[in-house]
Amino acid sequence: QHSQAIQGRTLEIGDATYCTRFDNGITHQDILHISPDDPNATIIGDLAQDDVLPRDTFDCQVITQTLHLIYDMKSAVQQLHDALRPGGVLLLTVPGITSIDRGEWGDTWYWSLTRTSAARLLGDVFGPENITISVFGNAYSATCFIQGMALEEVEQSFLDVIDPSYPVIIG
């Protein structure tokens, strides 16, 4: 829906999957990773820490399913804001209704959000007039997701219904 924003100097977390898939004129791609062992990372560090990201640099940031792993979410959002160039765009997703990862991320899975908490968190930093919040999911998709069902096992048309009372993903 917002692929036209993925252009100029971009930042993505962990890898460049979405930026590569939806490239609309990327001139420079950065990848942020917490681990210095990641060979593809161009920036290493904790997103909540000052000066990990360069200021006024990015035209677009694609930050998917990451903020819930950062205890100090507000600082992370502030760092993302400060790293955007004027007119830059943050494309962000966070979990709503979700199970907790049992693997490598389980010990740092601090939060799940609602439309209201996401709007407040982002609005406090970006200004409420500068954000658009979308909710994706419904009771059926939440149930399927929590039960670990594969896409091939579910009725696709039921997934397309949006019910804000059952947010699986918040964007």
Side-chain angles (χ1 to χ4, degrees), residues 55-73:
R55 303 287 186 240
D56 300 315
T57 300
F58 299 103
D59 298 296
C60 182
Q61 301 165 341
V62 180
I63 312 299
T64 55
Q65 304 303 92
T66 301
L67 279 186
H68 64 289
L69 303 173
I70 301 170
Y71 186 77
D72 189 357
M73 256 201 246

Side-chain angles (χ1 to χ4, degrees), residues 77-100:
V77 170
Q78 186 66 57
Q79 297 309 310
L80 290 167
H81 174 272
D82 293 348
L84 281 174
R85 287 184 177 151
V89 175
L90 169 62
L91 300 176
L92 173 84
T93 63
V94 294
I97 296 171
T98 187
S99 54
I100 307 300

Side-chain angles (χ1 to χ4, degrees), residues 91-168:
L91 300 176
L92 173 84
T93 63
V94 294
I97 296 171
T98 187
S99 54
I100 307 300
D101 182 64
R102 294 180 187 172
E104 79 176 290
W105 302 113
D107 289 341
T108 59
W109 197 293
Y110 296 110
W111 314 105
S112 290
L113 283 82
T114 65
R115 171 190 277 275
T116 303
S117 62
R120 174 78 184 264
L121 176 68
L122 295 161
D124 284 353
V125 176
F126 285 86
E129 70 281 3
N130 295 314
I131 62 170
T132 302
I133 304 288
S134 299
V135 174
F136 305 94
N138 57 52
Y140 179 78
S141 63
T143 301
C144 293
F145 180 64
I146 288 171
Q147 291 183 17
M149 297 176 74
L151 186 58
E152 297 78 23
E153 299 175 289
V154 301
E155 178 58 47
Q156 180 69 43
S157 64
F158 293 173
L159 298 177
D160 297 333
V161 176
I162 304 296
D163 182 345
S165 296
Y166 295 92
V168 176

Side-chain angles (χ1 to χ4, degrees), residues 43-55 79 82:
I43 302 172
I44 306 294
D46 182 342
L47 185 55
Q49 298 297 312
D50 285 339
D51 300 324
V52 168
L53 296 178
R55 303 287 186 240
Q79 297 309 310
D82 293 348

